[in-house]
Amino acid sequence: MIEPRMDLGPHLDGNVLAGPLREIFAMDVTAATSRCASCGAVGAVAALHVYANAPGMVARCPTCEEVVLRMVRTPDAAWLDMRGTVSLRIPM
Amino acid sequence: MARAAVPGRLTWRVAKLAEARTETPTARTLVLDVPGWPGHLAGQHVDVRLTAEDGYTAQRSYSIAAPADGDRIELTIQAVPEGEVSPYLIDVYGTGDPVEVRGPVGGWFVWRPTSMDPVLLVAGGSGIVPLMAMIRARRAAGSRIPFRLIYSVRTPGDVYYADELRRRARDDAGLDVTYAYTREVPEGWPNPPHRIGVADVNTNGWPPALTPDCYVCGPTGFVEAVADILVALGHDPRRVRTERFGPTGG
Amino acid sequence: MGIVTPGFRGRPRSSGPDLPPGQYLTHDFPVLSAGPTPRVPMDRWEFVITTETSRAHRWTWADMMALPSETPTVDIHCVTKWSKLGTTWQGVSLDTLMSDVDTAADYALVQSYGGYTTNLPLTDLLDGQAWLAYKFDGEDLHPEHGGPARMLIPHLYFWKSAKWVRGIQLRFDNEPGFWETAGYHDYGDPWREQRYQGD
Ligand SMILES: Cc1cc2nc3c(=O)[nH]c(=O)nc-3n(C[C@H](O)[C@H](O)[C@H](O)COP(=O)(O)OP(=O)(O)OC[C@H]3O[C@@H](n4cnc5c(N)ncnc54)[C@H](O)[C@@H]3O)c2cc1C
Ligand SMILES: [Zn+2]
């Protein structure tokens, strides 16, 4: 199995998740620190690479480009998949 | 869709256009009235949702340009050619017309007047918007934290808030403003037009040893280039905060 | 429905009898991406069908080019609501690729370079319904549209037509893919508007 070279596409910053996440959570999650489940890199959710031209928002680790979290908004539900993050540290 | 508000979560509120100002031939500032606006931090943004008569909706993010004035917030919109939303907001959207907004949001790309570190702001085009909010918040708080702004524009006519920036650079002690022109320079300008480079950032920014907080905002390619320069110059990547303006929604 | 903003129309769009419910016609070809675009060198590209007994059938680029190709003209429907009519492709029918594959599997999990996956019943890959496509509009498929090769399964929403495809796993069980695990419909028939789970 070969690993292809990746061209970083036109992504945005995790900041853009702030609105959609505030629809779910009572506080701002983008200022939280997340740890990537794939490579262990630690950083602000706001600094993730977000691909938003897609059926949902896909936030990737800026170090290894693996998926850290995904969010899909359907008409009557929000789907949040965080299996790519080991932990979230939310400042209180 | 009507829905009971859950405490703490954000839902959409109706905002109405109170007044508008032309910034450049392709940019307009919208002053929105948002009843019950809770206030915000400099650098935060709102999501704006527009609904057409047949129920079709489009949603975009816009940075807030100034500290809140009661229930009033300001956005500045740049026309993106062939854009679905920005040309509408500039050419058609009229006084008293409603839009829906969700915000303020974002707790990372923000500057707080209690912060004690020097600040470097690097703006590309419309990327000035949240950085101007920081300059205005600094002034409003009477802060003396040293600020430097490097503002990259195509031509002198593309500068947003031109008069105010001139005034603030003169009157606000500790604020330095420099411009980088990519297409056309003012008369008598010492350098030819060029894309922002290491020399611009090195000369007009802060040395990394001062541990400045760096805020970089603008189109994706611009942000990428400037963030790389800052890190190459020795700035701690964790102190380089970025906000890429770009398309959202499929 | 939210508050109407007077005079806002949005992107020009039309609906019509040729379009599945809730879809709008587009004339350009929007690029959707959930991640970086993989660049796969042709000399190392391969396509692998793995059966439920772990038997692997492999094709190099040259192997694939040696197979008979077809040029389907089809309508495509993206779950983000745009549809594009009469698009012309060139590729190898999955019937051709599957002809020597001995399987009793019911489901397929399509896998891409870059990690993307999507699932569907195996029957939806057969009988002239699916292609491994490498040309669009007579030109080599651009990487942003899934080149060197992508799936083309036009009777389902376009997220099933995986870009940068590297292989297909045939399975007894139905393993949900990238979007199917995040709220999107397991099958995705545009004519029945199966966008989200529960539709
Ligand atoms: C967090 C955040 C804050 C933002 N703040 C502001 C702000 O303060 N002021 C402001 O004017 N914009 C801001 N933007 C950008 C804004 O959200 C829209 O992307 C922009 O107004 C274009 O929308 P549109 O509907 O007109 O264009 P679309 O119809 O979405 O796009 C039309 C075409 O232009 C391209 N395009 C879209 N956006 C851009 C862009 N920004 N630059 C270059 N090409 C583009 C698209 O890929 C497409 O090809 C912000 C974006 C983000 C993510
Ligand atoms: Zn990682």
Side-chain angles (χ1 to χ4, degrees):
Chain A
M1 190 167 104
I2 69 154
E3 282 315 315
R5 181 169 67 83
M6 295 291 196
D7 279 1
L8 292 192
H11 59 79
L12 301 173
D13 298 288
N15 300 333
V16 76
L17 296 170
L21 286 171
R22 277 291 269 111
E23 224 182 4
I24 310 176
F25 296 108
M27 70 287 177
D28 175 58
V29 177
T30 62
T33 310
S34 70
R35 176 185 289 274
C36 170
S38 168
C39 76
V42 174
V45 170
L48 296 172
H49 290 175
V50 173
Y51 292 80
N53 263 322
M57 289 188 154
V58 180
R60 292 176 177 268
C61 170
T63 306
C64 73
E65 288 295 331
E66 280 298 324
V67 177
V68 175
L69 63 88
R70 300 187 291 161
M71 202 179 154
V72 169
R73 187 69 166 84
T74 76
D76 57 9
W79 288 74
L80 185 61
D81 174 352
M82 311 220 312
R83 76 182 95 169
T85 166
V86 179
S87 60
L88 267 187
R89 182 186 172 278
I90 299 161
M92 293 289 196
Chain B
M1 208 181 314
R3 194 193 310 264
V6 177
R9 293 197 207 155
L10 273 189
T11 48
W12 297 92
R13 327 165 179 252
V14 177
K16 289 196 168 135
L17 183 64
E19 55 186 84
R21 288 191 297 271
T22 298
E23 298 293 349
T24 73
T26 56
R28 185 191 194 206
T29 291
L30 308 178
V31 183
L32 298 176
D33 233 324
V34 198
W37 184 256
H40 60 266
L41 297 168
Q44 287 192 294
H45 67 270
V46 293
D47 295 333
V48 174
R49 181 164 74 182
L50 299 98
T51 303
E53 242 155 64
D54 62 356
Y56 175 89
T57 63
Q59 190 179 313
R60 299 288 184 273
S61 301
Y62 292 102
S63 302
I64 307 172
D69 174 13
D71 283 349
R72 292 206 161 172
I73 60 166
E74 294 190 16
L75 315 177
T76 305
I77 319 291
Q78 172 69 41
V80 170
E82 322 252 324
E84 179 171 35
V85 169
S86 57
Y88 168 83
L89 288 176
I90 290 167
D91 300 329
V92 184
Y93 184 53
T95 312
D97 287 348
V99 288
E100 290 176 286
V101 300
R102 181 175 63 194
V105 292
W108 172 251
F109 194 83
V110 296
W111 179 75
R112 292 180 171 81
T114 48
S115 163
M116 299 310 282
D117 290 308
V119 170
L120 172 63
L121 310 173
V122 190
S126 55
I128 186 67
V129 177
L131 308 185
M132 191 66 183
M134 296 177 189
I135 290 172
R136 288 166 164 166
R138 172 183 186 272
R139 163 88 174 190
S143 161
R144 288 151 157 249
I145 296 299
F147 264 46
R148 285 184 174 171
L149 167 66
I150 307 175
Y151 186 4
S152 168
V153 284
R154 287 183 185 180
T155 75
D158 289 314
V159 175
Y160 291 9
Y161 325 119
D163 291 340
E164 184 184 346
L165 273 175
R166 211 170 297 127
R167 228 171 34 244
R168 294 223 183 281
R170 188 190 65 207
D171 301 344
D172 293 10
L175 169 68
D176 293 326
V177 180
T178 52
Y179 296 90
Y181 300 95
T182 59
R183 295 261 175 93
E184 181 193 319
V185 298
E187 274 208 18
W189 194 254
N191 309 310
H194 64 282
R195 290 207 173 278
I196 198 164
V198 179
D200 301 282
V201 179
N202 197 22
T203 313
N204 302 311
W206 298 108
L210 293 181
T211 64
D213 283 321
C214 305
Y215 297 87
V216 185
C217 185
T220 304
F222 174 88
V223 168
E224 206 86 26
V226 173
D228 285 351
I229 289 172
L230 286 167
V231 173
L233 286 172
H235 291 271
D236 180 348
R238 281 167 305 183
R239 285 186 172 266
V240 178
R241 296 179 189 215
T242 57
E243 177 109 286
R244 291 166 175 85
F245 281 6
T248 49
Chain C
M1 186 166 122
I3 306 286
V4 171
T5 297
F8 175 70
R9 291 215 188 80
R11 202 158 276 133
R13 60 190 183 278
S14 53
S15 45
D18 296 349
L19 292 181
Q23 294 293 110
Y24 305 110
L25 196 60
T26 182
H27 295 288
D28 50 5
F29 195 170
V31 175
L32 270 64
S33 61
T37 301
R39 300 277 172 166
V40 190
M42 297 299 200
D43 57 346
R44 307 188 57 188
W45 182 91
E46 63 171 7
F47 183 76
V48 186
I49 296 179
T50 313
T51 69
E52 68 280 10
T53 57
S54 298
R55 191 131 186 251
H57 300 255
R58 293 170 191 277
W59 291 265
T60 64
W61 188 260
D63 295 338
M64 182 185 59
M65 298 310 278
L67 295 172
S69 71
E70 298 179 4
T71 51
T73 297
V74 296
D75 301 340
I76 55 181
H77 311 292
C78 178
V79 74
T80 62
K81 300 202 170 172
W82 56 264
S83 289
K84 192 169 168 61
L85 304 183
T87 58
T88 306
W89 303 78
Q90 184 175 344
V92 177
S93 167
L94 262 288
D95 295 314
T96 305
L97 293 163
M98 289 290 296
S99 60
D100 288 335
V101 177
D102 187 20
T103 178
D106 293 317
Y107 297 99
L109 183 67
V110 179
Q111 299 171 313
S112 296
Y113 293 100
Y116 183 79
T117 55
T118 186
N119 59 296
L120 67 167
L122 177 55
T123 49
D124 284 84
L125 286 177
L126 304 174
D127 294 328
Q129 296 186 93
W131 294 266
L132 178 59
Y134 51 82
K135 276 184 192 256
F136 170 72
D137 234 356
E139 310 270 340
D140 288 347
L141 191 56
H142 196 277
E144 67 183 16
H145 287 304
R150 74 177 297 160
M151 295 303 299
L152 176 63
I153 314 170
H155 69 290
L156 300 177
Y157 279 125
F158 212 42
W159 89 76
K160 299 282 184 180
S161 295
K163 301 202 237 187
W164 315 300
V165 66
R166 79 187 310 167
I168 300 175
Q169 237 184 54
L170 303 176
R171 312 170 58 99
F172 287 126
D173 62 333
N174 185 17
E175 168 84 16
F178 189 84
W179 291 119
E180 293 85 356
T181 49
Y184 281 92
H185 197 273
D186 198 58
Y187 185 63
D189 179 353
W191 295 96
R192 285 187 280 165
E193 208 169 354
Q194 293 172 332
R195 295 180 199 278
Y196 306 109
Q197 282 186 31
D199 285 351

